[in-house]
Amino acid sequence: MTATFTDSRIYLKLTATAVIWGGTFIAGRIAVQSIGPFTAAFLRLAIASIALWFVVYRTHGCVPKLSSPQYRIVLLLGLSGIFGYNALFFGGLQTVEAGRASLIIALNPVVIAMGAALFLKESLSWRKGVGILISLLGAAWVISRGELISLIVNPNDIFGLGEVMVFGCVLSWMSYILIGKAVMHTLSPLLASAYACWMGTLLLLPAAIHEGLLEAVSTLRPEAMLSVMYLGILGSAVGFCWYYDGLKAIGSAKASAFINLVPVSAITLAAVVLGEPLTPSLAIGAMLVVLGVSITNRA
């Protein structure tokens, strides 16, 4: 009974994490309607940094110090997965709908598999290859709104700066994960993520100040404040901790399956909260992306 109850709690946490992460696209879309992308990214990560400090202190009893080589690695993690990802995430959401953005970023596992094969020489089975192709087809379907020929013939009319930025998020996260794979034997995921978050926050501060951080904070709208608090506390600190609990309890293979719920929850919440239309091309693209990612994760 105890094991079953524990498993149920883990599955509930992972499901809630997927819904929370789906909600980050809606919160991000709301935030950048009134504040700049660097300001939104800094505020999100400043809140997350404070929350993660408490988590690390509670877990370790202190904040462990890093060696010089570890600091260099954490700096790379902060540049790629924190600074780069969040700046591109909020920049892309200024023009790209939350639902469409979530489906592009859902390609993360697929692009990571491709990057691992290319840079770390990990094997890429034919099943993973099929999953990658299906996912990429789904993403192309979503971006082109079902007009694949137009995407090929007139890409500039369909593929704008916002889409480029969202794809940049995927590449940033791939870099973060591949760098992390090389150092996770010396740092726990929690500690590496916390230090990377702190580094990324510091790196974002000058850009946020230049963008008008101080003025933005003094005139921040309630909906923007709630959005960045959601992103910092739930989307970053709570989401990571719950997913980390799931990884420890049931392993990465089972836990990663819940990631497929993120774009589904994002599209649903975008329709309910933001009034974004659930078009046939979006639905078809979502099914293809989720199917492809599921095949890639299981291969």
Side-chain angles (χ1 to χ4, degrees), residues 155-209:
N156 292 334
D157 294 338
I158 296 174
F159 203 83
L161 180 59
E163 285 82 4
V164 172
M165 286 185 170
V166 177
F167 263 109
C169 291
V170 178
L171 296 177
S172 294
W173 194 250
M174 178 198 71
S175 302
Y176 177 84
I177 294 298
L178 295 186
I179 294 168
K181 281 188 174 186
V183 299
M184 283 307 176
H185 61 283
T186 63
L187 282 174
S188 71
L190 172 61
L191 201 56
S193 297
Y195 265 101
C197 186
W198 298 333
M199 287 282 191
T201 304
L202 290 175
L203 291 169
L204 279 164
L205 180 57
I209 291 175

Side-chain angles (χ1 to χ4, degrees), residues 139-156:
W141 195 275
V142 169
I143 292 168
S144 67
R145 292 179 169 85
E147 299 290 340
L148 291 179
I149 300 300
S150 297
L151 183 61
I152 297 171
V153 176
N154 297 307
N156 292 334

Side-chain angles (χ1 to χ4, degrees), residues 36-290:
F38 287 109
T39 299
F42 173 78
L43 291 175
R44 171 190 188 173
L45 293 168
I47 295 169
S49 293
I50 296 170
L52 283 171
W53 187 90
F54 283 105
V55 173
V56 169
Y57 195 86
R58 181 180 177 184
T59 303
H60 294 274
C62 63
V63 177
K65 294 183 178 179
L66 304 183
S67 64
S68 295
Q70 287 175 329
Y71 269 115
R72 289 194 288 270
I73 293 297
V74 165
L75 177 60
L76 290 176
L77 292 174
L79 276 169
S80 57
I82 308 301
F83 176 90
Y85 180 91
N86 281 277
L88 292 167
F89 175 80
F90 287 105
L93 283 174
Q94 286 184 309
T95 56
V96 179
E97 298 94 334
R100 293 178 72 223
S102 72
L103 287 173
I104 296 173
I105 292 181
L107 293 174
N108 274 336
V110 168
V111 176
I112 289 167
M114 294 169 63
L118 182 62
F119 299 109
L120 302 182
K121 307 304 179 185
E122 293 186 5
S123 61
L124 190 64
S125 66
W126 69 268
R127 288 189 63 184
K128 278 190 177 181
V130 171
I132 288 169
L133 289 175
I134 293 173
S135 295
L136 293 176
L137 175 61
W141 195 275
V142 169
I143 292 168
S144 67
R145 292 179 169 85
E147 299 290 340
L148 291 179
I149 300 300
S150 297
L151 183 61
I152 297 171
V153 176
N154 297 307
N156 292 334
D157 294 338
I158 296 174
F159 203 83
L161 180 59
E163 285 82 4
V164 172
M165 286 185 170
V166 177
F167 263 109
C169 291
V170 178
L171 296 177
S172 294
W173 194 250
M174 178 198 71
S175 302
Y176 177 84
I177 294 298
L178 295 186
I179 294 168
K181 281 188 174 186
V183 299
M184 283 307 176
H185 61 283
T186 63
L187 282 174
S188 71
L190 172 61
L191 201 56
S193 297
Y195 265 101
C197 186
W198 298 333
M199 287 282 191
T201 304
L202 290 175
L203 291 169
L204 279 164
L205 180 57
I209 291 175
H210 179 73
E211 190 178 62
L213 171 66
L214 300 179
E215 181 183 354
V217 169
S218 64
T219 59
L220 200 60
R221 295 178 181 177
E223 62 270 23
M225 174 58 78
L226 288 174
S227 294
V228 295
M229 289 180 66
Y230 175 96
L231 288 160
I233 298 173
L234 293 177
S236 299
V238 173
F240 169 77
C241 291
W242 284 1
Y243 190 69
Y244 179 58
D245 288 344
L247 287 176
K248 290 193 296 182
I250 64 175
S252 60
K254 289 183 178 179
S256 64
F258 286 84
I259 299 300
N260 293 332
L261 296 175
V262 174
V264 176
S265 62
I267 291 170
T268 304
L269 290 170
V272 173
V273 178
L274 301 178
E276 292 184 4
L278 182 57
T279 62
S281 64
L282 191 65
I284 293 171
M287 288 188 288
L288 290 171
V289 169
V290 170

